[in-house]
Amino acid sequence: VGLFVIEQTPDPEFVASITQVEGTATWFDTTGTGPAAAGTSVNTGDVIATGAGRMLVRFPDGASIRIDQHSSVRVESRSELVLESGAVYVDSGGDADRIPSDLTFLAEGRRITHLGTQYEIRRAEGVLEVAVREGSVAVSGGNDVTGGTPGWVASATDNTGEALVFAATGDVRRQSITRYNGRWGWINEVSPGFEMVGHSYAEYVDWVAREQGLSVSWGSRDALEKADVVPAMADGDSFAPVPDQLEQILATAGLTAFRAEGVLEVRVAE
């Protein structure tokens, strides 16, 4: 009597949600292909890809990824994703009291893990760059992506980020990067926004500064006291971290902001 083993494909598991799409993007699952749109669930086995667009994906634990133009991400499991092409920006969340996301990326035969951080992974023509804006990232593997002891660690300080560049030849280069220069500009195209209801002006300033890789400086005690007020806002009010909106919101508190060399200084408006 012959014995037959039927291998069953596990049902897809929910992993994350697409919350914002700017431009054109596509979503592939086991049933077919369709345009990616806000509200779409992302499950294990799915592939999400962008054309001339960008995308924001949020995870239940508070982490998020922003996918740049002409990029493709395959979802292997609830905590493991593969960057097939292009670039992603990973934000594990800014809450220091929360357990960091266990999100891991595979790219160019390497495994990228983090501890409470913001970082970008970019791959093109066999070159992999891991640029850390906040926190630390460990990169392990080469031809093997089974994990183990990290081979390289990149960390950011208050003023400077760090990048690891893995060439197709196997050479690895470490370099300092600026946390606030133009290389990060694309991520603001799909910013998650900030919910002002129940939060103070100071919390909003901290969020904007983190989004833009800046440190916060308060021009005076009066400025900090004015900012430590929760404004009256309607449910659902949120603001993207663009300069005009920051100044508009701060003006309602009698404050103004200035940017210079990686610092966001908030002063009492004259």
Side-chain angles (χ1 to χ4, degrees), residues 72-160:
S72 177
V73 175
R74 186 174 76 252
V75 182
E76 289 288 288
S77 70
R78 297 180 67 178
S79 61
E80 189 171 273
L81 287 76
V82 178
L83 177 61
E84 298 182 324
S85 62
V88 295
Y89 179 82
V90 183
D91 188 342
S92 66
D95 187 351
D97 296 326
R98 185 174 55 77
I99 297 173
S101 168
D102 61 355
L103 193 62
T104 296
F105 266 89
L106 304 179
E108 294 292 351
R110 302 188 188 276
R111 180 181 298 271
I112 301 105
T113 58
H114 65 265
L115 179 62
T117 189
Q118 296 172 313
Y119 67 102
E120 180 190 68
I121 310 171
R122 186 172 294 274
R123 59 179 297 184
E125 299 180 354
V127 177
L128 173 68
E129 182 179 29
V130 180
V132 182
R133 197 184 198 190
E134 176 188 277
S136 298
V137 168
V139 183
S140 61
N143 294 325
D144 176 24
V145 293
T146 57
T149 304
W152 300 268
V153 175
S155 301
T157 65
D158 289 342
N159 300 312
T160 306

XYZ file of all heavy atoms in Angstrom, residues 72-160:
653
model
N 10.532 46.786 -4.333
C 9.696 45.606 -4.146
C 10.064 44.921 -2.831
O 11.244 44.705 -2.549
C 9.886 44.629 -5.317
O 9.127 43.457 -5.123
N 9.038 44.587 -2.038
C 9.226 43.927 -0.746
C 8.360 42.676 -0.709
O 7.155 42.732 -0.979
C 8.846 44.860 0.420
C 8.920 44.107 1.751
C 9.748 46.087 0.445
N 8.969 41.541 -0.356
C 8.237 40.282 -0.216
C 8.103 39.944 1.269
O 9.068 40.054 2.031
C 8.965 39.144 -0.936
C 8.180 37.836 -0.943
C 8.843 36.752 -1.777
N 9.980 36.148 -1.108
C 11.246 36.346 -1.454
N 11.548 37.139 -2.459
N 12.224 35.746 -0.793
N 6.913 39.543 1.680
C 6.633 39.253 3.085
C 6.799 37.755 3.325
O 5.960 36.948 2.921
C 5.204 39.705 3.457
C 4.950 39.449 4.934
C 5.000 41.176 3.115
N 7.878 37.391 3.990
C 8.153 35.980 4.275
C 7.376 35.482 5.490
O 6.862 34.367 5.491
C 9.649 35.789 4.524
C 10.511 35.924 3.274
C 10.339 34.748 2.343
O 10.814 33.660 2.673
O 9.693 34.920 1.290
N 7.337 36.317 6.534
C 6.645 35.932 7.759
C 6.195 37.196 8.472
O 6.388 38.304 7.959
C 7.561 35.101 8.669
O 8.585 35.910 9.210
N 5.649 37.046 9.666
C 5.154 38.220 10.390
C 6.280 39.144 10.827
O 6.040 40.313 11.134
C 4.343 37.772 11.606
C 3.106 36.975 11.224
C 2.307 36.547 12.438
N 1.720 37.688 13.120
C 0.939 37.595 14.193
N 0.686 36.395 14.696
N 0.436 38.659 14.752
N 7.504 38.641 10.879
C 8.617 39.483 11.322
C 9.783 39.517 10.335
O 10.797 40.144 10.616
C 9.137 39.000 12.686
O 9.614 37.665 12.596
N 9.647 38.870 9.192
C 10.755 38.791 8.246
C 10.291 39.196 6.848
O 9.359 38.618 6.293
C 11.323 37.378 8.218
C 12.619 37.255 7.431
C 13.261 35.894 7.621
O 14.029 35.733 8.592
O 12.972 34.984 6.823
N 10.974 40.201 6.296
C 10.659 40.714 4.971
C 11.907 40.676 4.105
O 13.031 40.758 4.620
C 10.126 42.151 5.034
C 8.702 42.347 5.566
C 8.669 42.204 7.085
C 8.179 43.723 5.188
N 11.717 40.571 2.802
C 12.824 40.544 1.858
C 12.726 41.789 0.964
O 11.696 42.016 0.318
C 12.794 39.280 0.978
C 13.937 39.310 -0.034
C 12.881 38.031 1.846
N 13.792 42.579 0.945
C 13.866 43.705 0.018
C 14.418 43.177 -1.301
O 15.598 42.895 -1.424
C 14.763 44.813 0.573
C 14.967 46.029 -0.345
C 13.648 46.727 -0.641
C 15.975 47.006 0.271
N 13.525 43.022 -2.273
C 13.927 42.462 -3.553
C 14.597 43.502 -4.444
O 15.473 43.162 -5.253
C 12.711 41.873 -4.261
C 12.070 40.730 -3.494
C 10.888 40.123 -4.217
O 10.138 40.890 -4.875
O 10.719 38.894 -4.154
N 14.198 44.745 -4.319
C 14.799 45.827 -5.108
C 14.437 47.160 -4.481
O 13.465 47.259 -3.725
C 14.308 45.781 -6.565
O 12.907 45.975 -6.616
N 15.227 48.194 -4.799
C 14.900 49.536 -4.344
C 15.303 49.829 -2.919
O 16.368 49.397 -2.459
N 14.431 50.537 -2.186
C 14.795 51.012 -0.853
C 13.585 51.075 0.065
O 12.456 51.308 -0.375
C 15.446 52.393 -0.938
N 13.850 50.866 1.357
C 12.836 51.026 2.395
C 13.436 51.823 3.544
O 14.649 51.801 3.785
C 12.320 49.677 2.939
C 11.582 48.900 1.864
C 13.454 48.850 3.529
N 12.566 52.532 4.245
C 12.931 53.244 5.470
C 12.151 52.604 6.599
O 10.923 52.516 6.555
C 12.573 54.717 5.333
C 12.866 55.574 6.549
C 14.148 56.073 6.782
C 11.854 55.933 7.442
C 14.416 56.884 7.879
C 12.111 56.743 8.534
C 13.389 57.217 8.742
O 13.661 58.028 9.831
N 12.861 52.141 7.610
C 12.250 51.418 8.723
C 12.260 52.302 9.961
O 13.285 52.890 10.312
C 13.023 50.114 9.017
C 12.337 49.329 10.125
C 13.158 49.265 7.752
N 11.117 52.394 10.619
C 11.003 53.143 11.866
C 10.351 52.222 12.887
O 9.186 51.853 12.745
C 10.156 54.405 11.658
C 10.167 55.324 12.878
O 10.522 54.845 13.977
O 9.814 56.508 12.730
N 11.112 51.847 13.915
C 10.582 50.928 14.910
C 9.681 51.631 15.914
O 9.101 50.994 16.786
C 11.723 50.217 15.650
O 12.474 51.138 16.412
N 9.555 52.954 15.806
C 8.711 53.716 16.714
C 9.543 54.491 17.707
O 10.630 54.078 18.097
N 9.021 55.643 18.139
C 9.800 56.529 18.996
C 9.536 56.382 20.472
O 10.016 57.185 21.262
N 8.760 55.377 20.888
C 8.428 55.188 22.297
C 9.519 54.364 22.970
O 9.641 53.165 22.754
C 7.078 54.481 22.421
C 6.594 54.393 23.865
O 7.377 54.723 24.771
O 5.436 53.990 24.075
N 10.309 55.026 23.808
C 11.442 54.353 24.453
C 10.986 53.273 25.438
O 11.745 52.363 25.768
C 12.311 55.376 25.185
N 9.727 53.354 25.916
C 9.242 52.380 26.890
C 8.656 51.136 26.231
O 8.331 50.168 26.908
C 8.168 53.023 27.778
C 8.724 54.162 28.623
O 9.900 54.057 29.025
O 7.991 55.134 28.877
N 8.508 51.175 24.929
C 7.901 50.053 24.231
C 8.981 49.062 23.798
O 10.095 49.444 23.442
C 7.134 50.561 22.998
C 6.373 49.476 22.265
C 5.533 50.081 21.157
N 6.309 50.887 20.236
C 7.087 50.381 19.275
N 7.190 49.075 19.119
N 7.754 51.185 18.473
N 8.644 47.786 23.814
C 9.585 46.770 23.344
C 9.837 46.991 21.857
O 8.900 47.120 21.072
C 9.021 45.359 23.567
C 8.827 45.116 25.069
C 9.937 44.300 22.969
C 8.130 43.816 25.384
N 11.104 47.094 21.425
C 11.380 47.346 20.007
C 10.798 46.274 19.098
O 10.686 45.106 19.473
C 12.922 47.347 19.949
C 13.365 47.622 21.344
C 12.322 46.997 22.228
N 10.422 46.677 17.906
C 9.910 45.732 16.923
C 10.982 44.701 16.584
O 12.170 44.998 16.554
C 9.500 46.492 15.659
O 9.256 45.604 14.595
N 10.530 43.451 16.333
C 11.483 42.399 15.946
C 11.580 42.270 14.430
O 12.044 41.257 13.913
C 11.093 41.056 16.569
C 9.712 40.577 16.126
O 9.017 41.326 15.417
O 9.329 39.451 16.490
N 11.169 43.296 13.716
C 11.186 43.279 12.261
C 12.603 43.088 11.732
O 13.545 43.747 12.153
C 10.620 44.598 11.739
C 10.267 44.684 10.264
C 9.182 43.684 9.911
C 9.804 46.104 9.929
N 12.747 42.139 10.799
C 14.032 41.823 10.194
C 13.898 41.860 8.677
O 12.889 41.437 8.126
C 14.500 40.415 10.629
O 14.721 40.410 12.035
C 15.788 40.020 9.926
N 14.943 42.383 8.019
C 14.965 42.409 6.557
C 16.086 41.528 6.036
O 17.169 41.444 6.643
C 15.188 43.833 6.042
C 13.920 44.571 5.730
C 13.286 45.316 6.708
C 13.347 44.507 4.469
C 12.115 45.989 6.434
C 12.174 45.172 4.182
C 11.555 45.923 5.163
N 15.849 40.885 4.891
C 16.869 40.177 4.136
C 17.086 40.929 2.832
O 16.131 41.330 2.172
C 16.437 38.741 3.841
C 16.058 37.864 5.034
C 15.632 36.482 4.548
C 17.191 37.763 6.023
N 18.355 41.140 2.480
C 18.687 41.836 1.233
C 20.107 41.497 0.835
O 21.019 41.519 1.673
C 18.546 43.354 1.401
N 20.302 41.174 -0.444
C 21.635 40.849 -0.978
C 22.335 39.797 -0.126
O 23.529 39.890 0.154
C 22.497 42.116 -1.080
C 22.023 43.140 -2.088
C 22.167 42.668 -3.539
O 22.788 41.615 -3.767
O 21.643 43.357 -4.429
N 21.592 38.777 0.319
C 22.195 37.695 1.092
C 22.594 38.063 2.496
O 23.368 37.341 3.126
N 22.047 39.169 3.010
C 22.392 39.588 4.372
C 21.120 39.809 5.180
O 20.060 40.097 4.641
C 23.252 40.855 4.356
C 24.541 40.672 3.571
C 25.484 41.860 3.702
N 26.614 41.720 2.798
C 27.697 41.023 3.062
N 27.817 40.402 4.229
N 28.687 40.936 2.190
N 21.272 39.668 6.506
C 20.159 39.852 7.429
C 20.372 41.136 8.218
O 21.435 41.337 8.825
C 20.081 38.653 8.383
C 18.947 38.728 9.401
C 18.970 37.523 10.321
N 18.768 36.289 9.574
C 17.573 35.763 9.315
N 16.480 36.380 9.727
N 17.467 34.634 8.648
N 19.357 41.998 8.218
C 19.457 43.298 8.888
C 18.467 43.323 10.040
O 17.255 43.179 9.841
C 19.175 44.461 7.914
C 20.177 44.437 6.751
C 19.252 45.795 8.631
C 19.617 43.952 5.452
N 18.976 43.480 11.258
C 18.138 43.576 12.449
C 18.490 44.864 13.194
O 19.528 45.470 12.961
C 18.345 42.368 13.382
O 19.736 42.298 13.752
C 17.954 41.077 12.698
N 17.614 45.258 14.114
C 17.821 46.560 14.750
C 17.419 46.525 16.218
O 16.788 45.578 16.691
C 17.010 47.637 14.032
C 15.534 47.417 14.159
N 14.802 46.756 13.209
C 14.662 47.739 15.150
C 13.536 46.699 13.593
N 13.427 47.272 14.767
N 17.735 47.616 16.909
C 17.299 47.822 18.280
C 16.845 49.268 18.409
O 17.651 50.169 18.577
C 18.427 47.528 19.274
C 18.086 47.743 20.751
C 16.955 46.820 21.175
C 19.318 47.518 21.633
N 15.546 49.482 18.317
C 14.978 50.813 18.512
C 15.570 51.857 17.599
O 16.437 52.617 18.027
N 15.110 51.953 16.367
C 15.887 52.712 15.398
C 15.077 53.250 14.237
O 13.913 52.893 14.030
C 16.998 51.799 14.831
O 17.897 52.551 14.054
C 16.408 50.703 13.972
N 15.720 54.113 13.478
C 15.274 54.541 12.153
C 16.441 54.263 11.200
O 17.576 54.673 11.475
C 14.967 56.037 12.115
C 13.815 56.487 12.995
C 13.716 58.002 13.029
O 14.704 58.702 13.204
N 12.512 58.519 12.870
N 16.164 53.584 10.103
C 17.246 53.309 9.170
C 16.696 53.063 7.775
O 15.510 52.762 7.599
C 18.100 52.129 9.627
C 17.414 50.781 9.613
C 17.640 49.858 8.587
C 16.561 50.406 10.643
C 17.029 48.615 8.590
C 15.948 49.162 10.655
C 16.188 48.269 9.622
O 15.572 47.036 9.626
N 17.574 53.199 6.799
C 17.222 52.962 5.403
C 18.055 51.810 4.859
O 19.252 51.708 5.135
C 17.498 54.218 4.573
C 17.159 54.074 3.091
C 17.662 55.249 2.267
O 18.907 55.395 2.133
O 16.834 56.031 1.780
N 17.398 50.928 4.097
C 18.098 49.883 3.347
C 17.896 50.184 1.871
O 16.770 50.381 1.423
C 17.537 48.482 3.642
C 17.442 48.228 5.145
C 18.397 47.410 2.978
C 16.689 46.954 5.484
N 18.982 50.209 1.127
C 18.898 50.501 -0.307
C 19.796 49.523 -1.063
O 20.958 49.338 -0.693
C 19.309 51.947 -0.591
C 19.114 52.376 -2.044
C 19.351 53.884 -2.205
N 18.340 54.659 -1.507
C 17.158 54.991 -2.021
N 16.841 54.588 -3.253
N 16.305 55.708 -1.325
N 19.242 48.897 -2.114
C 20.038 47.969 -2.917
C 19.890 48.322 -4.391
O 18.809 48.666 -4.866
C 19.631 46.528 -2.668
C 18.193 46.178 -2.949
C 17.884 44.720 -2.693
N 18.631 43.812 -3.558
C 18.484 42.485 -3.572
N 17.618 41.917 -2.744
N 19.187 41.732 -4.392
N 21.026 48.254 -5.088
C 21.043 48.561 -6.521
C 22.301 47.972 -7.132
O 23.409 48.181 -6.610
C 21.004 50.067 -6.760
N 22.123 47.200 -8.195
C 23.247 46.636 -8.954
C 24.231 45.886 -8.063
O 25.445 46.037 -8.175
C 23.963 47.743 -9.736
C 23.044 48.430 -10.749
C 23.745 49.525 -11.524
O 24.911 49.832 -11.193
O 23.126 50.069 -12.451
N 23.699 45.091 -7.154
C 24.544 44.262 -6.304
C 25.135 44.958 -5.103
O 25.826 44.328 -4.299
N 24.879 46.255 -4.948
C 25.400 47.016 -3.806
C 24.283 47.195 -2.778
O 23.155 47.555 -3.122
C 25.937 48.390 -4.244
C 26.401 49.202 -3.024
C 27.074 48.213 -5.238
N 24.605 46.942 -1.524
C 23.659 47.106 -0.432
C 24.161 48.189 0.508
O 25.313 48.151 0.956
C 23.508 45.794 0.342
C 22.673 45.845 1.625
C 21.209 46.107 1.301
C 22.834 44.547 2.409
N 23.299 49.166 0.808
C 23.655 50.214 1.766
C 22.640 50.204 2.899
O 21.430 50.225 2.666
C 23.677 51.593 1.118
C 24.088 52.695 2.105
C 24.136 54.076 1.485
O 23.371 54.304 0.522
O 24.912 54.918 1.955
N 23.150 50.170 4.134
C 22.322 50.262 5.328
C 22.720 51.544 6.048
O 23.840 51.654 6.549
C 22.521 49.040 6.245
C 21.640 49.162 7.490
C 22.211 47.744 5.503
N 21.812 52.525 6.057
C 22.103 53.843 6.625
C 21.276 54.040 7.892
O 20.044 54.024 7.844
C 21.788 54.935 5.607
N 21.947 54.229 9.032
C 21.287 54.324 10.328
C 21.153 55.790 10.725
O 22.142 56.519 10.805
C 22.067 53.556 11.404
C 21.339 53.622 12.742
C 22.256 52.105 10.980
N 19.929 56.187 10.991
C 19.635 57.570 11.385
C 19.472 57.713 12.884
O 19.726 58.759 13.459
C 18.358 58.022 10.678
C 18.138 59.514 10.661
C 16.806 59.819 10.013
N 16.711 61.204 9.600
C 15.593 61.783 9.192
N 14.480 61.065 9.141
N 15.570 63.041 8.823
N 19.006 56.646 13.520
C 18.775 56.639 14.969
C 18.942 55.219 15.475
O 18.529 54.266 14.825
C 17.358 57.145 15.276
C 16.978 57.099 16.747
C 15.508 57.429 16.963
O 15.187 58.628 17.014
O 14.690 56.484 17.054
N 19.578 55.065 16.638
C 19.730 53.739 17.219
C 20.851 52.941 16.588
O 21.842 53.490 16.104
N 20.688 51.620 16.543
C 21.722 50.723 16.027
C 21.103 49.648 15.150
O 19.972 49.230 15.369
C 22.492 50.057 17.172
O 23.160 51.012 17.970
N 21.903 49.184 14.191
C 21.491 48.113 13.291
C 22.621 47.108 13.181
O 23.790 47.493 13.073
C 21.141 48.670 11.889
C 20.990 47.543 10.884
C 19.861 49.487 11.949
N 22.277 45.819 13.221
C 23.261 44.759 13.041
C 23.027 44.083 11.705
O 21.884 43.818 11.318
C 23.150 43.735 14.172
N 24.112 43.806 10.986
C 24.048 43.145 9.685
C 24.875 41.871 9.767
O 26.056 41.913 10.120
C 24.580 44.048 8.561
C 24.436 43.345 7.206
C 23.861 45.389 8.547
N 24.245 40.753 9.467
C 24.955 39.478 9.510
C 24.800 38.766 8.187
O 23.996 39.143 7.338
C 24.404 38.598 10.646
O 23.043 38.318 10.437
N 25.595 37.718 8.025
C 25.474 36.897 6.827
C 26.304 37.406 5.671
O 26.883 38.481 5.679
N 26.345 36.584 4.652
C 27.016 36.906 3.403
C 26.280 36.082 2.379
O 25.182 36.422 1.970
N 26.841 34.938 2.061
C 26.084 33.986 1.259
C 25.058 33.242 2.114
O 24.133 32.630 1.610
C 27.035 32.977 0.606
C 27.946 33.640 -0.397
O 27.533 34.575 -1.075
N 29.186 33.180 -0.477
N 25.258 33.304 3.440
C 24.366 32.608 4.365
C 23.539 33.639 5.129
O 24.071 34.614 5.626
C 25.209 31.790 5.355
C 24.355 31.114 6.405
O 23.165 30.897 6.131
O 24.889 30.809 7.474
N 22.223 33.453 5.203
C 21.370 34.401 5.919
C 20.658 33.721 7.085
O 19.557 34.076 7.461
C 20.321 35.027 4.975
C 20.990 35.901 3.952
C 19.476 33.962 4.290
N 21.313 32.723 7.668
C 20.681 31.997 8.764
C 20.819 32.724 10.088
O 20.308 32.277 11.106
C 21.305 30.596 8.909
O 22.719 30.723 9.114
C 21.040 29.762 7.666
N 21.476 33.871 10.113
C 21.600 34.639 11.345
C 22.902 34.333 12.041
O 23.909 34.072 11.424
N 22.868 34.373 13.386
C 24.089 34.132 14.139
C 24.683 35.441 14.614
O 24.023 36.453 14.728
N 25.966 35.421 14.913
C 26.640 36.596 15.427
C 26.695 37.686 14.369
O 27.138 37.443 13.257
C 28.074 36.245 15.866
O 28.010 35.189 16.816
C 28.760 37.460 16.478
N 26.241 38.910 14.704
C 26.290 39.983 13.719
C 27.721 40.242 13.262
O 28.654 40.277 14.060
C 25.742 41.189 14.497
C 24.919 40.591 15.591
C 25.630 39.325 15.964
N 27.900 40.402 11.964
C 29.229 40.686 11.462
C 29.569 42.159 11.522
O 30.727 42.534 11.653
N 28.528 43.021 11.440
C 28.763 44.460 11.432
C 27.648 45.138 12.218
O 26.502 44.706 12.207
C 28.764 45.019 10.009
C 29.812 44.415 9.133
C 31.087 44.861 8.922
C 29.686 43.241 8.337
N 31.745 44.031 8.059
C 30.910 43.026 7.675
C 28.636 42.329 8.111
C 31.115 41.962 6.822
C 28.831 41.260 7.269
C 30.070 41.087 6.621
N 27.998 46.202 12.909
C 27.017 47.006 13.627
C 27.231 48.464 13.248
O 28.363 48.958 13.256
C 27.145 46.841 15.157
C 26.184 47.796 15.867
C 26.866 45.402 15.569
N 26.158 49.153 12.897
C 26.204 50.585 12.609
C 25.320 51.296 13.619
O 24.225 50.831 13.939
C 25.721 50.876 11.192
N 25.801 52.427 14.156
C 25.062 53.159 15.186
C 25.065 54.648 14.886
O 26.004 55.172 14.276
C 25.679 52.922 16.570
O 25.669 51.549 16.905
N 24.003 55.308 15.325
C 23.906 56.759 15.178
C 24.092 57.418 16.531
O 23.765 56.844 17.573
C 22.544 57.137 14.599
N 24.620 58.642 16.525
C 24.719 59.455 17.732
C 23.692 60.577 17.619
O 22.887 60.610 16.690
C 26.129 60.051 17.874
O 26.366 60.979 16.793
C 27.188 58.963 17.820
N 23.724 61.511 18.569
C 22.763 62.615 18.539
C 22.906 63.466 17.285
O 21.927 64.053 16.820
C 22.946 63.510 19.773
C 22.472 62.830 21.050
O 21.710 61.858 20.938
O 22.863 63.271 22.137
N 24.111 63.541 16.748
C 24.350 64.453 15.632
C 24.714 63.767 14.316
O 24.612 64.379 13.258
C 25.480 65.437 15.993
C 25.154 66.263 17.217
O 24.074 66.820 17.319
N 26.085 66.331 18.165
N 25.145 62.516 14.377
C 25.677 61.862 13.185
C 25.115 60.456 13.033
O 25.022 59.704 14.008
C 27.210 61.776 13.261
O 27.744 63.079 13.497
C 27.788 61.241 11.954
